[in-house]
Every structure is written in structure tokens, then in C-alpha cells.
Amino acid sequence: MKTAADIYNVLQGILVDEFEIDADDISLDAHLYQDLDLDSIDAVDLVVKLREITGKKIEPDAFKQVRTVQDVVNEVEKLVL
């Protein structure tokens, strides 16, 4: 993953494949909990998946403030770029 766009594409793939979210519902502005119907357990699963892909330890505290797809991209970008 070299760019924010790469991170978004990987994230979108995870949301579609792992959480069965329609790709058309996913946008940078999409709210994880309200728009994409993720719950707290899904959020933990998402962090685990991102950790597997990036090989980086993701601090749970970093994701406490995450609300949108853009927020996730931003946090992952800090780790990998």
C-alpha cells in the first residue's frame, strides 16, 4: 500500500469480502456504524484484518475516534506511509 487510494481500495475489499457490505455503499464519507452497520465486534475484526495486511501493530486507542471510512484510511496511512 503506497497511497491513500491503495489503502482505500484494500479497505473496501475487506468491507465487501469480510463484512458483506455492498461496494456501492462504501465511500470515504460513509460512517462505519450508521451507514455500513458495523458494530463494535466488527470494528475489532476490522482492526485485526488491517493489522494482518499492514504487519503493523494498530493501537485500539487510535481507532476509538474513527467514525468514517476516511478516518480508517487516515489512521492506516499514518502506520504505513
Side-chain angles (χ1 to χ4, degrees):
M1 292 185 288
K2 301 277 189 250
T3 67
D6 293 338
I7 295 167
Y8 173 75
N9 289 333
V10 169
L11 179 58
Q12 185 179 34
I14 292 170
L15 291 170
V16 169
D17 296 340
E18 300 292 325
F19 300 99
E20 300 177 357
I21 296 171
D22 191 323
D24 293 339
D25 293 339
I26 302 168
S27 69
L28 289 172
D29 295 333
H31 193 280
L32 297 174
Y33 305 107
Q34 294 165 346
D35 299 329
L36 303 181
D37 290 329
L38 295 184
D39 60 26
S40 58
I41 294 171
D42 293 332
V44 171
D45 291 343
L46 179 58
V47 169
V48 169
K49 274 287 181 202
L50 292 170
R51 184 170 50 214
E52 289 172 3
I53 290 169
T54 63
K56 306 281 186 180
K57 183 171 175 24
I58 299 172
E59 296 297 332
D61 287 347
F63 268 73
K64 281 187 178 167
Q65 301 305 314
V66 167
R67 297 289 178 259
T68 66
V69 172
Q70 180 69 63
D71 293 340
V72 176
V73 170
N74 293 345
E75 289 301 323
V76 173
E77 193 173 26
K78 289 178 196 174
L79 293 172
V80 299
L81 300 182

